[in-house]
Amino acid sequence: MGAPSFDRFGPIPPLSPVVVSVPHAGRDYPLPLRAAAAVPVASMLALEDRHADTLALAARGDETLIIQRRARAWIDLNRGEDERDPLIDDGARPIPAGAAATKLRSGLGLVPRRAAPGVTLWRRRLGDDEVRLRIAEDHRPYHVALDEALSAARDRFGSALLIDLHSMPPLPGPLSARVVLGDRFGRSAGGQLVHRLEGEIVAAGLIAALNAPYPGGHILNRHGRPQENIHAIQVEIDRRLYLDAGLNMPGKGLAGTAALLRRLIDAATDELLGHDIAIAAE
């Protein structure tokens, strides 16, 4: 196996109890993806958390930060290894019934089937061996790196928090949230940590929401273990806050949004170092 498809900034063990993950901002579209795709790369950009990595780097202090370079169209790190789509993947099992498979049925599984609503991504089916290789080379190493960083941070500081950073398209309505925090409805993080971050967002003059419409996915399910003093919170930031009018490139709001993210990291660090928060998630 060659070099990992992610970049890690900061050491192991981390210098901070907060670890930041950016799984969906990758802009590396491998040749096999482009060869098998039914649409040009420009049509796949809707899957990206556009320049969330730029935002994270602008906000970073001494935290360990892990950024995936591969595009989400190649493989989605926020889906489990078993969330494979039988409509495009020869190695997938039938989609299970129930709300848990909503994303998979909509075409947003481990390997996305669509680039945007109504835009089919692949022009052919994917072999089981192709998808297994993506899992082995891209999906598992990223999660192993997160495990390593979070366990080392917990061992060093007593508690650790994963901030899983994403961006979201603008939500409808003038009073809609500009930042959505997800904690899997209290399962992935201590409540006082979540409310501290929510308070920082409100203090910055922005509307915050909790778990609606984004409660978090596989990354929080896998890495959020409050009972073991490892917490995980998904942070979804409205792209209008830091991108240009076309929602394509960093805009004039980048510095201010990075300052907000910095406040969230600092507030979380204060909570982690100053309180026993594990029981708050029970």
Side-chain angles (χ1 to χ4, degrees):
M1 187 179 297
S5 58
F6 60 85
D7 293 318
R8 191 191 77 205
F9 302 85
I12 302 294
L15 301 176
S16 165
V18 175
V19 174
V20 181
S21 162
V22 186
H24 283 168
R27 294 183 289 279
D28 175 12
Y29 290 82
L31 180 59
L33 183 156
R34 289 179 274 136
V39 294
V41 166
S43 297
M44 305 179 203
L45 301 186
L47 287 171
E48 290 183 15
D49 286 343
R50 193 75 174 154
H51 283 287
D53 54 336
T54 305
L55 178 61
L57 287 166
R60 179 179 176 262
D62 58 6
E63 295 78 30
T64 293
L65 166 64
I66 300 176
I67 296 173
Q68 174 68 4
R69 295 193 308 274
R70 289 271 195 273
R72 182 185 179 189
W74 179 250
I75 193 165
D76 190 338
L77 303 178
N78 205 22
R79 300 288 180 264
E81 293 185 15
D82 60 343
E83 293 183 78
R84 297 173 62 172
D85 190 337
L87 293 181
I88 57 164
D89 181 348
D90 287 341
R93 289 180 254 177
I95 297 176
T102 299
K103 291 288 188 182
L104 182 52
R105 284 195 295 270
S106 72
L108 296 176
L110 179 66
V111 177
R113 177 179 5 112
R114 63 173 177 85
V119 180
T120 300
L121 180 54
W122 304 101
R123 62 180 178 83
R124 62 168 177 82
R125 293 185 62 81
L126 304 177
D128 180 42
D129 57 339
E130 292 179 84
V131 178
R132 287 181 180 273
L133 187 61
R134 296 183 197 188
I135 291 171
E137 293 189 345
D138 300 300
H139 191 277
R140 285 179 189 162
Y142 190 90
H143 286 283
V144 168
L146 287 184
D147 277 332
E148 180 184 20
L150 288 165
S151 294
R154 186 269 317 276
D155 292 347
R156 182 170 189 173
F157 297 102
S159 295
L161 168 68
L162 174 65
I163 290 182
D164 192 42
L165 183 65
H166 297 256
S167 70
M168 63 183 184
L171 297 175
L175 299 179
S176 296
R178 306 300 296 275
V179 182
V180 177
L181 302 177
D183 68 352
R184 301 301 295 170
F185 302 99
R187 294 193 294 273
S188 71
Q192 68 195 61
L193 255 178
V194 177
H195 295 311
R196 176 72 183 270
L197 268 58
E198 185 178 23
E200 294 292 333
I201 296 164
V202 173
L206 298 173
I207 298 175
L210 180 59
N211 291 315
Y214 303 112
H218 173 70
I219 290 174
L220 265 58
N221 276 337
R222 172 164 176 173
H223 298 285
R225 304 188 298 275
Q227 69 280 3
E228 299 176 26
N229 291 325
I230 296 178
H231 305 260
I233 299 173
Q234 180 174 283
V235 178
E236 292 268 6
I237 297 179
D238 188 330
R239 293 167 190 163
R240 293 174 298 181
L241 290 175
Y242 70 95
L243 293 179
D244 61 13
L247 302 182
N248 184 46
M249 298 298 292
K252 62 183 180 180
L254 177 68
T257 309
L260 170 63
L261 180 56
R262 183 70 247 164
R263 283 180 62 174
L264 298 182
I265 294 170
D266 288 341
T269 302
D270 179 63
E271 288 290 328
L272 291 163
L273 295 180
H275 304 281
D276 179 8
I277 58 175
I279 59 172
E282 294 179 357

